């Protein structure tokens, strides 16, 4: 009994000390959820295992499931223990405490207010990151909602305001048709610590007709000549190739024309025009293989009245898209991470196999490189590539690769950069975030706050929202750095009472920051702290990722999706098979909610135990 009473006293004192630091955030009454979180923080700062074992021996609650109603649970166990020992305890009602039922319903109500109610019998919401195609394909948005999407995420790091407006318009139309609401979360891009663009491969294409096993041509190569600005890929597809020409040039072509040229090997070839294409441009054929570059000169020849072909004009074909170079990094290699936004390029080896220059790529936020020191860990693309800073100079930093696949890992453009533990001192909102906030306040229900790390960061965002009339906008704090994790309680306490609040466990970036081996325990701790504050949680990053991208599913992904049901919302990323992923996640969540709620097992009747 004495141990339990001492525990209660320490919890009250510890909570009081914590809340004193937030007196300016609560000029009036401290919200009950903030008070309960303070109780929980003080409670979990202690080693409770001896008390737990003693309570369990008496058949009482061991206080292992008290997140949403900490002090009320301690009071109740103290009261029951006093009755068992014949020593009732007075004064248990002196301190304001949120009771069991209120604690449970407050979290549920907060989730409903933040995300809206979930669809169907499911208790957990499904959030889907909308692909760019959602701006031009309203049917996709409709089908996502039909499969069970409750919240649509728009990533402000991609597309633009015109595309975002189209996505939201399609979403609102689907809502009207289906008769239910879908919440819009717009995720600020932040400072986008990412790899820069890559150089392009030389613009050379090998145009090949089809041949049989004997090497004889059975079908000429089909070449599409399209207007400039057409968004198609010039790579070979079923014997077809595509290049661009100015619209005026295309308009002047005739089916009797030929484009004669010498390819990069000096071999004479003829491109024969066949017919206009339905959507503009011309179809041409080539009977012999040719290597064509952007320097290849074509001479347009047209027959005159006597049938003799005379040159009309000279031209060069344009490339519709260019393929980036392939940078592959191996363990022990050097990578130059540059401040200047120069295109990335692979390492160069001389004729003797010696390294002439190392690979390079730019950092999208060069100011972040200023505070890096020798020995700083660097992770790229959600931890697929890792290294350490070996040297620093005015041009950037040199990174020695220490972690990659045995066969080397490909370095791509626009992939995340992480510098675990580094204090980069970047402002919480980037200039682009400031611009995007105007659109977010006008069109979204929730704003996702990327790379928030402190109480002051939250204050900055809330003040900017207030200036734009967005005081009623819900805020989702994305926990994706080590500092954000350390300051999670103050991030929550600074926001409670001012905005509807949610927390996203951004597991990809977080795993890189703290180490993948720690993620399992840390995501549990975040769930517990947020439940104590009655703050809804979004379980994010790589949920059913293989299914969404390739159409197949793995056993670990199924288990991960089942674990995700302890959050209030689960996020899926975009992919070609996103509809299948939503359908599968919906099924898993509905099944698991009969077995598990938060940390509590639900003891429904099991068919395996039937007579």
């Amino acid at each position: 009994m004495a141990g339990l009473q001492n525990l209660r006293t320490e919890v009250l004192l510890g909570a009081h000390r914590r809340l004193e630091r937030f007196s300016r955030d609560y000029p009036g009454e401290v919200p009950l959820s903030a008070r309960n979180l303070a109780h929980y923080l003080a409670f979990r700062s202690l080693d409770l295992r001896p008390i737990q074992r003693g309570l369990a021996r008496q058949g009482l609650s061991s206080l292992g499931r008290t997140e949403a109603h900490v002090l009320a649970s301690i009071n109740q166990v103290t009261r029951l223990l006093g009755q068992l020992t014949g020593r009732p305890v007075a004064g248990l009602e002196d301190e304001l405490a949120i009771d069991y039922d209120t604690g449970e319903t407050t979290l549920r109500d907060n989730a409903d207010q933040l995300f809206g109610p979930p669809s169907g019998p499911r208790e957990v919401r499904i959030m889907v990151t909308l692909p760019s195609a959602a701006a031009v394909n309203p049917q996709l948005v409709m089908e996502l909602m039909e499969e069970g999407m409750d919240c649509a995420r728009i990533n402000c790091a991609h597309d633009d305001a015109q595309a975002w407006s189209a996505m939201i318009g399609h979403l609102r139309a689907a809502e009207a048709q289906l008769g239910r609401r879908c919440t819009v979360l717009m995720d600020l891009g932040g400072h986008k610590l990412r790899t820069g663009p890559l150089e392009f491969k030389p613009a050379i294409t090998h145009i090949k007709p089809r041949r049989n096993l004997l090497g004889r041509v059975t079908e000429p190569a089909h070449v599409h000549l399209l207007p400039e600005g057409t968004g198609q890929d010039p790579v070979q597809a079923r014997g077809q190739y595509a290049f661009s020409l100015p619209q005026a040039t295309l308009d002047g072509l005739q089916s009797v024309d030929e484009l004669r040229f010498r390819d990069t090997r000096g071999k004479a070839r003829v491109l024969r025009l066949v017919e206009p294409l339905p959507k503009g441009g011309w179809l041409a054929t080539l009977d012999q293989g040719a290597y064509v570059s952007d320097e290849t000169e074509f001479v347009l020849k047209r027959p005159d009245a006597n049938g003799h072909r005379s040159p009309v004009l000279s031209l060069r074909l344009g490339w519709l898209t260019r393929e980036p170079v392939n940078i592959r990094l191996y363990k022990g290699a050097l990578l130059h991470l540059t401040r200047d936004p120069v295109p990335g390029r692979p390492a160069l080896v001389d004729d003797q196999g010696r390294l002439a220059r190392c690979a390079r790529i730019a950092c999208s936020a060069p100011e972040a490189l200023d505070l890096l020191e020798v020995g700083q860990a660097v992770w790229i693309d959600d931890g697929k590539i890792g290294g350490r800073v070996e040297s620093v100079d005015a041009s950037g930093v040199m990174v020695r690769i220490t972690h990659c696949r045995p066969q080397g890992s490909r370095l791509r453009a626009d992939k995340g950069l992480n510098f675990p533990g580094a204090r980069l001192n970047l402002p919480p909102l980037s200039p682009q975030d400031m611009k995007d906030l105007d659109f977010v306040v006008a069109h979204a229900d929730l704003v996702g706050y990327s790379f928030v790390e402190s109480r002051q960061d939250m204050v900055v965002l809330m003040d900017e929202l207030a200036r734009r009339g967005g005081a009623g906008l819900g805020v989702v704090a994305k926990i994706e750095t080590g500092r954000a994790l350390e300051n999670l309680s103050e991030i929550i306490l600074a926001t409670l009472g001012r905005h509807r609040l949610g927390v996203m466990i951004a597991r990809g970036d977080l795993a890189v920051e703290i180490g993948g081996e720690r993620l399992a325990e840390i995501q549990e701790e975040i769930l517990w702290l947020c439940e104590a504050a009655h703050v809804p949680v979004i379980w994010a990053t790589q949920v059913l990722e293989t299914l969404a991208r390739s159409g197949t599913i793995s056993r670990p992904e199924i288990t991960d999706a089942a674990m995700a049901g302890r959050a209030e919302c689960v996020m899926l990323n975009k992919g070609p098979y996103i509809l299948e992923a939503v359908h599968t996640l919906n099924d898993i969540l509905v099944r698991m909610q009969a077995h598990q709620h938060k940390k509590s097992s639900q003891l429904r009747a099991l068919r395996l135990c039937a007579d």
Side-chain angles (χ1 to χ4, degrees):
M1 175 65 78
L4 200 56
Q5 289 178 296
N6 289 337
L7 169 64
R8 184 176 183 275
T9 299
E10 289 191 56
V11 166
L12 291 175
L13 291 175
H16 180 71
R17 286 195 302 270
R18 285 170 170 81
L19 289 175
E20 273 189 331
R21 300 200 297 267
F22 292 86
S23 57
R24 69 175 184 269
D25 296 293
Y26 307 125
E29 186 69 24
V30 177
L32 283 176
S33 294
R35 192 182 298 273
N36 189 72
L37 175 58
H39 289 151
Y40 186 74
L41 293 170
F43 177 68
R44 291 307 308 269
S45 68
L46 306 169
D47 186 355
L48 304 169
R49 288 172 293 181
I51 290 178
Q52 283 188 299
R53 285 190 291 270
L55 292 172
R57 281 196 295 269
Q58 300 298 323
L60 297 173
S61 167
S62 61
L63 302 175
R65 187 65 190 85
T66 64
E67 283 78 11
H69 34 76
V70 180
L71 188 58
S73 296
I74 295 174
N75 288 345
Q76 181 65 5
V77 172
T78 303
R79 189 178 295 109
L80 291 172
L81 189 58
Q83 293 173 359
L84 284 174
T85 59
R87 292 180 293 173
V89 180
L92 294 178
E93 310 302 330
D94 293 347
E95 183 77 15
L96 191 62
I98 193 165
D99 61 40
Y100 180 92
D101 291 330
T102 304
E104 297 288 319
T105 58
T106 299
L107 177 56
R108 185 167 60 248
D109 291 345
N110 287 348
D112 285 344
Q113 292 172 18
L114 192 70
F115 304 117
S119 57
R122 181 171 24 85
E123 296 175 358
V124 177
R125 292 110 186 125
I126 294 177
M127 176 185 293
V128 179
T129 300
L130 294 183
S132 299
V136 295
N137 186 354
Q139 185 60 31
L140 172 61
V141 178
M142 173 68 74
E143 291 174 353
L144 285 169
M145 284 195 63
E146 289 174 336
E147 289 291 350
M149 177 177 70
D150 305 291
C151 184
R153 173 179 176 258
I154 296 175
N155 189 349
C156 293
H158 301 289
D159 304 307
D160 54 25
Q162 183 178 355
W164 304 336
S165 294
M167 292 177 189
I168 295 172
H170 296 155
L171 190 68
R172 299 308 180 210
E175 287 178 331
Q177 190 167 338
L178 297 175
R180 67 180 183 87
R181 177 76 169 164
C182 184
T183 304
V184 175
L185 165 71
M186 294 198 70
D187 211 334
L188 297 176
H191 286 277
K192 292 194 285 190
L193 286 174
R194 293 183 173 272
T195 54
L198 301 178
E199 288 183 350
F200 292 111
K201 290 181 179 178
I204 298 175
T205 296
H206 184 192
I207 304 176
K208 298 181 290 185
R210 289 195 174 184
R211 299 177 183 272
N212 61 18
L213 293 176
L214 300 177
R216 296 173 182 148
V217 174
T218 58
E219 183 180 352
H222 291 238
V223 178
H224 289 186
L225 303 178
L226 302 172
E228 290 177 341
T230 305
Q232 293 193 14
D233 194 336
V235 299
Q236 181 182 2
R238 295 185 180 179
Q240 294 183 356
Y241 301 81
F243 301 93
S244 68
L245 284 171
Q247 185 66 61
T249 302
L250 291 169
D251 291 341
L253 297 179
Q254 300 177 18
S255 57
V256 295
D257 292 343
E258 292 180 350
L259 293 173
R260 301 198 174 198
F261 66 100
R262 289 189 178 275
D263 76 356
T264 58
R265 302 166 297 176
K267 295 187 176 182
R269 296 290 186 259
V270 179
L271 196 60
R272 294 182 174 85
L273 270 64
V274 178
E275 60 184 3
L277 294 170
K279 295 184 179 181
W282 279 83
L283 172 64
T285 60
L286 186 69
D287 295 327
Q288 297 173 286
Y291 287 85
V292 177
S293 78
D294 53 359
E295 298 295 322
T296 302
E297 186 172 349
F298 293 78
V299 178
L300 174 62
K301 290 196 172 185
R302 180 175 296 162
D304 56 20
N306 297 321
H308 298 295
R309 290 188 176 273
S310 302
V312 177
L313 60 93
S314 295
L315 53 87
R316 289 177 180 173
L317 302 182
W319 259 241
L320 298 177
T321 60
R322 297 282 299 279
E323 187 177 354
V325 295
N326 187 348
I327 301 179
R328 187 164 291 274
L329 298 175
Y330 299 89
K331 190 173 182 178
L334 282 172
L335 172 67
H336 189 196
L337 200 57
T338 67
R339 289 183 171 85
D340 291 337
V342 290
R345 66 189 183 194
L348 179 65
V349 178
D350 63 21
D351 294 339
Q352 284 74 44
R354 294 172 301 194
L355 182 69
R357 71 175 187 221
C358 67
R360 77 175 183 203
I361 200 161
C363 174
S364 61
E367 63 273 22
L369 302 182
D370 295 338
L371 297 175
L372 299 187
E373 298 177 350
V374 172
Q376 169 67 49
V378 176
W379 292 96
I380 306 172
D381 194 7
D382 283 342
K384 294 183 179 67
I385 302 171
R388 290 199 174 274
V389 174
E390 194 162 279
S391 63
V392 181
D393 60 28
S395 65
V397 299
M398 200 67 73
V399 178
R400 180 73 67 179
I401 303 302
T402 59
H403 178 87
C404 62
R405 300 173 67 188
Q407 65 272 37
S409 296
R410 186 172 179 182
L411 178 64
R412 302 175 189 270
D414 199 36
K415 294 300 179 182
L417 287 168
N418 291 86
F419 309 119
R423 296 296 180 95
L424 302 179
N425 296 328
L426 298 173
L429 294 171
S430 71
Q432 188 61 48
D433 290 338
M434 293 291 197
K435 296 177 183 177
D436 293 342
L437 269 178
D438 295 329
F439 185 96
V440 172
V441 169
H443 297 89
D445 304 297
L446 308 171
V447 55
Y449 197 2
S450 297
F451 302 108
V452 56
E453 292 192 324
S454 68
R455 164 191 188 162
Q456 185 55 37
D457 290 351
M458 292 300 298
V459 172
V460 169
L461 176 64
M462 290 187 289
D463 288 347
E464 290 298 332
L465 291 175
R467 291 190 187 98
R468 293 165 171 79
L473 199 67
V475 175
V476 173
K478 297 171 62 179
I479 307 303
E480 48 197 333
T481 69
R483 281 196 70 207
L485 186 62
E486 293 170 4
N487 298 327
L488 177 58
S489 60
E490 73 170 43
I491 288 171
I492 294 174
L493 287 170
T495 313
L496 288 177
R498 290 187 62 179
H499 277 267
R500 292 175 294 133
L501 177 64
V503 163
M504 178 185 288
I505 310 178
R507 300 184 301 160
D509 284 303
L510 192 56
V512 172
E513 284 275 326
I514 65 174
E517 65 279 1
R518 290 191 61 206
L519 182 63
E521 64 170 314
I522 290 302
Q523 64 191 13
E524 297 299 307
E525 294 183 18
I526 295 174
L527 283 170
W528 299 339
L529 259 67
C530 289
E531 187 179 359
H534 311 117
V535 169
V537 171
I538 302 170
W539 184 282
T541 313
Q542 295 181 333
V543 179
L544 299 182
E545 187 91 350
T546 305
L547 176 58
R549 290 186 180 275
S550 67
T552 60
I553 191 168
S554 65
R555 286 190 299 273
E557 283 188 324
I558 295 173
T559 302
D560 182 58
M563 295 282 286
R566 292 167 305 149
E568 283 65 47
C569 183
V570 183
M571 190 186 92
L572 293 172
N573 268 324
K574 54 195 174 185
Y577 300 93
I578 186 59
L579 291 171
E580 290 87 339
V582 175
H583 179 86
T584 300
L585 180 59
N586 178 74
D587 186 58
I588 292 172
L589 293 175
V590 170
R591 291 175 183 275
M592 286 305 300
Q593 69 189 21
H595 294 278
Q596 188 83 23
H597 174 70
K598 291 294 186 180
K599 291 197 307 185
S600 298
S601 297
Q602 305 287 89
L603 301 181
R604 75 164 179 84
L606 294 179
R607 284 181 295 176
L608 294 176
C609 298
D611 291 338

